[in-house]
Amino acid sequence: MAKRTPKYIFLVGGVMSGVGKGVATASIAKILQSRGLETTAIKIDPYVNVDAGTMSPTEHGEVFVLDDGTECDQDMGNYERFLDRDLTKTNYMTTGSVYLSVIQKERNLEYEGKQVEVVPHIPLEVITRIERAAAKAKADIVITEIGGTVGEYQNILFLEAVRMLKIRKPTDTILILVSFVPALGAGGTELKTKPTQYAVRTLNSAGLQPDIVLARAGASLDQRRKARISLNCNLQIRDIISAPNVESIYEVPTNFEKDKLGDRILEKLSLKHRDHDLRDWKRLVSIVRTAKKTVKIGIVGKYFGSGDFILTDSYISVLEAIKHAAYHWRRKPVIEWVASEEFEKYPRSVQKLSEYHGIIVPGGFGSRGVEGKIAAIRYCRERKIPYFGLCYGMQLAVIEYARTVLGLRKAHTTEIASKAPDPVIDILPEQRKNVAEKNYGATMRLGAYPAILKPGTIARAAYGKQQISERHRHRYEVNPRYIERLEKKGMVFSGQSPDRRLMEIMELPRDKHPFFLGTQFHPELKSRPLRPHPLFREFIRASLRR
Ligand code: GLN
């Protein structure tokens, strides 16, 4: 068989961050995949943390978890969702992880007595990792997103890797600058290209010339603006791609194709022309655009206090999973954030949950807002409002049940009350040592584990199979000592680890409640736009019956 020579595409940001580089990367991957090319995507985060697991979601957004347990950036979730592929740790690196392996190699004498230098050894390690990811995915195309913005000190070594790879493989490597074109003037109609010109010059001073500029802006770029960027940035007009704001991120791939981005990339990488097939994707986009009837879902959590942007980023996979399931039922999702602390201050305010079709309590850590979440869960259970608990949301549902139905008024999780008389949620035995020794990095129960589903349950019917695999990120579990008592009072553990030791899914029978279900794992991490997660799908279905 002919040896595969993958092509390399790099994306870097210009002017400022937060303009959707991750979605742009995922969308380019999608339009190339839709041409029958096996495409994989890599995220580089230019910080010293070895992975994203030690960062607060309010700082950095959601911690996404892969099957192999890698805790990584939320952009990896977009890649998986757009490509419908499961990625692995080879698809993710940080400055910290790259340095860590170079230093480990040095300690193992793998540099054979040479002096190990920041340049070239750090960029070489980056290139090796990208090649490894390509081989692992058997990819025709590897798209690598470099975090941060050109001109920042942090990502210069990654740009150096691009420069070195371009020398090595000039016809197989291209660089795309995702720039921002601000609008000024009355009504914000005057698009300003100067910042983009400066960004390109900054790249030039790192020895790099972009092959394509993606111009992010509120509106489409007109020919005059394109001509100006072309002339000043040494690019042909057709290599300036207009990337205006769109209503849904799922419109971005088809939008890129309007400016023939896929064809431009193929030509630059000396690949022969191929037509794209985005039919399924376009069907989804048309539902996103035309769905009129709504489904209103409340997410109950602690209030982070910094506005919607932060919340959206912290729970992006939950939001996307709700959307996928809503689109499946041709509904327009309306998702609202409900601060649980309010229920602690004003207990009666919990009544406002009846405005929603369904309620979710997502994953979380620590004590803030927990009693409010428990009050919300009780209200949903007693008022028969569809409830879906994700990880912490499952654990708190078990606590609520133990307190109200079993009468164990002091039932709690030892995460909050280490001396609780009834620790219905307790630390996993293998986690005890990690917490005692403050060994927090990448030590939770992480990644994919199998579970066996009980016949005749909501979970079993939703998945339509007996064994599943789902992704985890937790240190606590349902305490085995309480399981019999909980079951006697009607709680059903419909998903369990194959050895029956760990409770993976909890639910109430359908004749008691239309949908009251929680998972110890994070189903949101495996929902895909065209393949909504079965439990989200059923949760939305139950919500629509309300
Ligand atoms: N804090 C809980 C635990 O560690 C839940 C974690 C989560 O929701 N991801 O078990």
Side-chain angles (χ1 to χ4, degrees):
M1 220 166 63
K3 202 171 152 281
R4 225 175 254 276
T5 50
K7 305 283 185 179
Y8 301 94
I9 302 173
F10 290 89
L11 263 82
V12 65
V15 181
M16 63 183 207
S17 63
V19 296
K21 201 154 31 97
V23 170
T25 305
S27 300
I28 293 173
K30 183 81 214 164
I31 60 180
L32 295 171
Q33 183 192 51
S34 77
R35 287 172 163 77
L37 294 162
E38 188 52 45
T39 306
T40 195
I42 296 176
K43 174 76 195 260
I44 295 180
D45 271 332
Y47 41 65
V48 180
N49 302 60
V50 174
D51 58 41
T54 54
M55 271 180 288
S56 150
T58 49
E59 283 276 316
H60 184 66
E62 168 188 270
V63 179
F64 195 77
V65 183
L66 306 180
D67 274 342
D68 64 14
T70 303
E71 296 173 283
C72 54
D73 183 79
Q74 52 171 309
D75 282 331
M76 296 284 284
N78 279 326
Y79 304 166
E80 283 203 343
R81 287 187 280 270
F82 277 64
L83 285 171
D84 197 3
R85 291 277 186 282
D86 295 328
L87 302 177
T88 71
K89 66 170 184 291
T90 52
N91 293 73
Y92 183 66
M93 67 182 107
T94 68
T95 301
S97 74
V98 173
Y99 269 87
L100 192 62
S101 44
V102 169
I103 292 168
Q104 269 158 0
K105 279 188 194 167
E106 181 274 331
R107 293 285 85 186
N108 298 343
L109 266 181
E110 286 177 44
Y111 291 103
E112 294 164 346
K114 282 203 200 76
Q115 182 162 310
V116 184
E117 309 272 9
V118 168
V119 176
H121 294 103
I122 297 295
L124 282 175
E125 173 66 22
V126 174
I127 292 172
T128 306
R129 285 172 171 224
I130 292 171
E131 288 173 336
R132 204 183 299 145
K136 180 145 195 191
K138 296 193 173 61
D140 302 308
I141 309 243
V142 190
I143 306 187
T144 305
E145 176 190 350
I146 300 175
T149 310
V150 285
E152 281 168 8
Y153 185 74
Q154 282 91 329
N155 58 18
I156 195 76
L157 288 170
F158 299 109
L159 293 178
E160 188 63 6
V162 180
R163 197 185 65 81
M164 285 162 61
L165 194 64
K166 267 201 162 207
I167 301 172
R168 217 194 272 176
K169 298 173 187 281
T171 56
D172 295 335
T173 310
I174 62 168
L175 175 62
I176 299 178
L177 177 74
V178 184
S179 194
F180 179 65
V181 183
L184 285 183
T189 46
E190 200 187 329
L191 293 172
K192 293 300 207 183
T193 63
K194 188 73 91 197
T196 300
Q197 298 174 35
Y198 280 121
V200 170
R201 281 196 205 147
T202 311
L203 262 185
N204 291 158
S205 66
L208 287 165
Q209 166 67 20
D211 298 278
I212 289 170
V213 167
L214 270 183
R216 284 282 298 111
S220 292
L221 225 58
D222 56 12
Q223 276 313 102
R224 241 182 73 208
R225 301 297 182 307
K226 284 189 176 180
R228 197 168 292 161
I229 297 177
S230 152
L231 181 69
N232 288 292
C233 301
N234 267 323
L235 284 156
Q236 294 185 19
I237 292 188
R238 56 193 184 142
D239 293 331
I240 319 294
I241 306 292
S242 180
N245 289 347
V246 281
E247 211 172 292
S248 148
I249 55 170
Y250 299 115
E251 286 179 46
V252 176
T254 43
N255 221 43
F256 280 171
E257 287 294 59
K258 285 189 191 143
D259 266 4
K260 304 214 174 333
L261 178 58
D263 291 346
R264 294 304 306 132
I265 291 175
L266 291 192
E267 202 180 312
K268 285 182 178 290
L269 289 172
S270 331
L271 290 167
K272 62 175 191 307
H273 174 85
R274 291 154 175 257
D275 285 329
H276 69 229
D277 180 359
L278 280 167
R279 272 173 294 178
D280 287 354
W281 199 263
K282 284 183 178 160
R283 221 167 287 141
L284 170 78
V285 170
S286 115
I287 295 173
V288 174
R289 286 176 155 246
T290 56
K292 292 226 162 44
K293 282 193 184 160
T294 57
V295 57
K296 195 171 167 191
I297 302 299
I299 302 182
V300 177
K302 65 183 173 197
Y303 179 56
F304 289 133
S306 313
D308 283 344
F309 173 76
I310 303 283
L311 295 178
T312 310
D313 264 29
S314 306
Y315 287 100
I316 178 163
S317 293
V318 177
L319 299 177
E320 292 309 310
I322 297 170
K323 290 179 197 170
H324 303 159
Y327 298 144
H328 174 85
W329 299 111
R330 296 183 174 266
R331 291 290 174 132
K332 189 184 176 67
V334 176
I335 306 169
E336 286 180 2
W337 190 262
V338 186
S340 61
E341 278 131 312
E342 197 187 317
F343 305 146
E344 295 169 6
K345 275 192 238 136
Y346 313 103
R348 287 172 62 117
S349 63
V350 75
Q351 288 170 8
K352 79 172 188 206
L353 295 180
S354 57
E355 284 169 28
Y356 297 94
H357 289 110
I359 295 294
I360 286 180
V361 172
F365 296 84
S367 62
R368 202 149 63 80
V370 154
E371 290 305 323
K373 291 184 202 177
I374 293 174
I377 293 167
R378 178 171 183 179
Y379 189 81
C380 289
R381 188 175 57 75
E382 291 178 345
R383 301 298 165 111
K384 303 207 188 312
I385 300 170
Y387 173 75
F388 194 10
L390 311 173
C391 204
Y392 214 15
M394 179 254 208
Q395 297 176 351
L396 299 177
V398 173
I399 294 171
E400 188 279 316
Y401 207 76
R403 285 185 187 176
T404 323
V405 182
L406 274 61
L408 306 173
R409 290 207 358 252
K410 295 206 161 141
H412 220 320
T413 165
T414 53
E415 176 172 354
I416 296 178
S418 56
K419 305 231 161 22
D422 282 302
V424 290
I425 304 296
D426 197 8
I427 192 149
L428 286 156
E430 63 270 29
Q431 288 292 333
R432 226 171 270 279
K433 199 161 167 275
N434 290 329
V435 172
E437 292 173 2
K438 292 197 162 47
N439 177 19
Y440 292 123
T443 58
M444 281 188 238
R445 179 169 181 250
L446 287 169
Y449 287 92
I452 310 290
L453 304 181
K454 211 175 253 173
T457 59
I458 297 177
R460 178 74 174 74
Y463 282 96
K465 56 182 177 186
Q466 200 204 345
Q467 180 163 346
I468 57 163
S469 169
E470 292 282 1
R471 296 181 186 172
H472 299 71
R473 184 171 190 259
H474 65 117
R475 289 191 207 279
Y476 296 81
E477 62 165 339
V478 180
N479 188 339
R481 286 201 285 127
Y482 290 88
I483 289 165
E484 224 185 281
R485 272 180 274 174
L486 288 160
E487 283 179 332
K488 249 197 204 123
K489 289 283 184 185
M491 184 161 268
V492 177
F493 292 101
S494 52
Q496 300 181 9
S497 60
D499 64 6
R500 310 259 166 220
R501 206 181 61 80
L502 280 154
M503 300 303 112
E504 294 278 17
I505 308 178
M506 163 288 297
E507 62 181 78
L508 291 184
R510 227 188 291 247
D511 57 352
K512 296 266 162 23
H513 195 289
F515 191 100
F516 189 88
L517 186 145
T519 59
Q520 184 57 80
F521 50 82
H522 290 272
E524 70 272 19
L525 301 176
K526 286 186 59 169
S527 179
R528 305 279 162 86
L530 301 171
R531 285 192 302 128
H533 191 283
L535 294 178
F536 275 91
R537 191 192 66 218
E538 291 312 304
F539 165 63
I540 296 294
R541 178 152 81 156
S543 300
L544 287 172
R545 293 211 178 112
R546 223 169 94 75

Short mmCIF file of all heavy atoms in Angstrom, two decimals, residues 363-365 390-392 395 415 473-476 520 522, ligand 1:
data_model
loop_
_atom_site.label_atom_id
_atom_site.label_comp_id
_atom_site.label_asym_id
_atom_site.label_seq_id
_atom_site.Cartn_x
_atom_site.Cartn_y
_atom_site.Cartn_z
N GLY A 363 -22.66 18.92 36.09
CA GLY A 363 -21.52 18.57 36.93
C GLY A 363 -21.03 19.75 37.73
O GLY A 363 -21.30 20.90 37.40
N GLY A 364 -20.33 19.47 38.82
CA GLY A 364 -19.80 20.55 39.63
C GLY A 364 -18.99 20.02 40.80
O GLY A 364 -18.90 18.82 41.02
N PHE A 365 -18.42 20.95 41.52
CA PHE A 365 -17.57 20.60 42.66
C PHE A 365 -17.85 21.59 43.79
O PHE A 365 -18.23 22.73 43.53
CB PHE A 365 -16.08 20.69 42.27
CG PHE A 365 -15.70 19.70 41.21
CD1 PHE A 365 -15.90 19.98 39.87
CD2 PHE A 365 -15.17 18.46 41.56
CE1 PHE A 365 -15.57 19.06 38.89
CE2 PHE A 365 -14.85 17.53 40.59
CZ PHE A 365 -15.04 17.83 39.26
N LEU A 390 -26.42 15.41 35.89
CA LEU A 390 -25.17 15.01 35.24
C LEU A 390 -24.06 14.99 36.29
O LEU A 390 -23.63 16.03 36.75
CB LEU A 390 -24.82 15.98 34.12
CG LEU A 390 -25.96 16.31 33.13
CD1 LEU A 390 -25.52 17.42 32.17
CD2 LEU A 390 -26.37 15.06 32.37
N CYS A 391 -23.62 13.83 36.66
CA CYS A 391 -22.51 13.66 37.60
C CYS A 391 -22.89 14.23 38.98
O CYS A 391 -23.60 13.56 39.72
CB CYS A 391 -21.23 14.27 37.04
SG CYS A 391 -19.75 13.54 37.78
N TYR A 392 -22.47 15.44 39.31
CA TYR A 392 -22.87 16.02 40.60
C TYR A 392 -24.40 16.04 40.68
O TYR A 392 -24.97 15.80 41.74
CB TYR A 392 -22.32 17.44 40.71
CG TYR A 392 -21.92 17.86 42.12
CD1 TYR A 392 -21.76 16.93 43.13
CD2 TYR A 392 -21.68 19.21 42.41
CE1 TYR A 392 -21.37 17.33 44.40
CE2 TYR A 392 -21.30 19.61 43.67
CZ TYR A 392 -21.15 18.67 44.68
OH TYR A 392 -20.76 19.06 45.93
N GLN A 395 -25.45 12.73 41.91
CA GLN A 395 -25.11 12.52 43.32
C GLN A 395 -26.07 13.30 44.23
O GLN A 395 -26.54 12.78 45.24
CB GLN A 395 -23.66 12.97 43.58
CG GLN A 395 -22.63 12.14 42.79
CD GLN A 395 -21.21 12.65 42.96
OE1 GLN A 395 -20.98 13.72 43.54
NE2 GLN A 395 -20.24 11.91 42.45
N GLU A 415 -17.68 14.97 50.11
CA GLU A 415 -16.95 16.06 49.46
C GLU A 415 -17.19 17.37 50.23
O GLU A 415 -16.33 18.23 50.30
CB GLU A 415 -17.46 16.21 48.01
CG GLU A 415 -16.85 17.38 47.26
CD GLU A 415 -17.22 17.40 45.77
OE1 GLU A 415 -17.85 16.46 45.28
OE2 GLU A 415 -16.85 18.39 45.11
N ARG A 473 -15.55 11.96 35.04
CA ARG A 473 -14.60 12.87 35.68
C ARG A 473 -15.10 13.16 37.09
O ARG A 473 -15.83 14.12 37.32
CB ARG A 473 -14.50 14.18 34.87
CG ARG A 473 -13.45 15.14 35.41
CD ARG A 473 -13.22 16.31 34.48
NE ARG A 473 -12.07 17.08 34.87
CZ ARG A 473 -12.14 18.25 35.55
NH1 ARG A 473 -13.30 18.77 35.85
NH2 ARG A 473 -11.03 18.87 35.88
N HIS A 474 -14.76 12.27 38.01
CA HIS A 474 -15.26 12.45 39.38
C HIS A 474 -14.37 11.72 40.38
O HIS A 474 -13.57 10.87 40.01
CB HIS A 474 -16.70 11.93 39.48
CG HIS A 474 -16.85 10.45 39.25
ND1 HIS A 474 -17.31 9.59 40.21
CD2 HIS A 474 -16.59 9.67 38.18
CE1 HIS A 474 -17.34 8.36 39.74
NE2 HIS A 474 -16.90 8.38 38.50
N ARG A 475 -14.55 12.07 41.68
CA ARG A 475 -13.83 11.37 42.74
C ARG A 475 -14.78 10.66 43.71
O ARG A 475 -14.36 9.89 44.54
CB ARG A 475 -13.02 12.37 43.59
CG ARG A 475 -11.83 12.94 42.87
CD ARG A 475 -10.93 13.72 43.82
NE ARG A 475 -10.18 14.73 43.10
CZ ARG A 475 -9.07 14.49 42.41
NH1 ARG A 475 -8.58 13.28 42.37
NH2 ARG A 475 -8.46 15.46 41.77
N TYR A 476 -16.07 10.98 43.62
CA TYR A 476 -17.03 10.44 44.60
C TYR A 476 -18.01 9.51 43.89
O TYR A 476 -18.13 9.52 42.67
CB TYR A 476 -17.76 11.60 45.30
CG TYR A 476 -16.79 12.43 46.11
CD1 TYR A 476 -15.98 13.39 45.50
CD2 TYR A 476 -16.64 12.20 47.47
CE1 TYR A 476 -15.05 14.13 46.23
CE2 TYR A 476 -15.70 12.93 48.21
CZ TYR A 476 -14.91 13.89 47.58
OH TYR A 476 -13.99 14.59 48.31
N GLN A 520 -23.67 9.12 36.61
CA GLN A 520 -22.40 9.42 37.26
C GLN A 520 -21.37 9.91 36.23
O GLN A 520 -20.44 10.62 36.54
CB GLN A 520 -21.90 8.17 37.99
CG GLN A 520 -20.65 8.36 38.80
CD GLN A 520 -20.79 9.47 39.83
OE1 GLN A 520 -21.35 9.29 40.88
NE2 GLN A 520 -20.28 10.65 39.51
N HIS A 522 -20.56 11.71 32.23
CA HIS A 522 -20.96 12.95 31.53
C HIS A 522 -21.43 12.63 30.12
O HIS A 522 -20.64 12.66 29.17
CB HIS A 522 -19.78 13.92 31.47
CG HIS A 522 -19.41 14.49 32.80
ND1 HIS A 522 -20.00 15.64 33.30
CD2 HIS A 522 -18.55 14.07 33.75
CE1 HIS A 522 -19.51 15.90 34.49
NE2 HIS A 522 -18.61 14.96 34.79
N1 GLN B 1 -17.74 16.64 42.66
C1 GLN B 1 -18.24 15.36 42.27
C2 GLN B 1 -17.15 14.30 42.29
O1 GLN B 1 -15.99 14.60 42.24
C3 GLN B 1 -18.88 15.45 40.90
C4 GLN B 1 -17.91 15.72 39.81
C5 GLN B 1 -18.55 16.22 38.56
O2 GLN B 1 -19.71 16.63 38.56
N2 GLN B 1 -17.80 16.23 37.49
O3 GLN B 1 -17.46 13.13 42.32
#
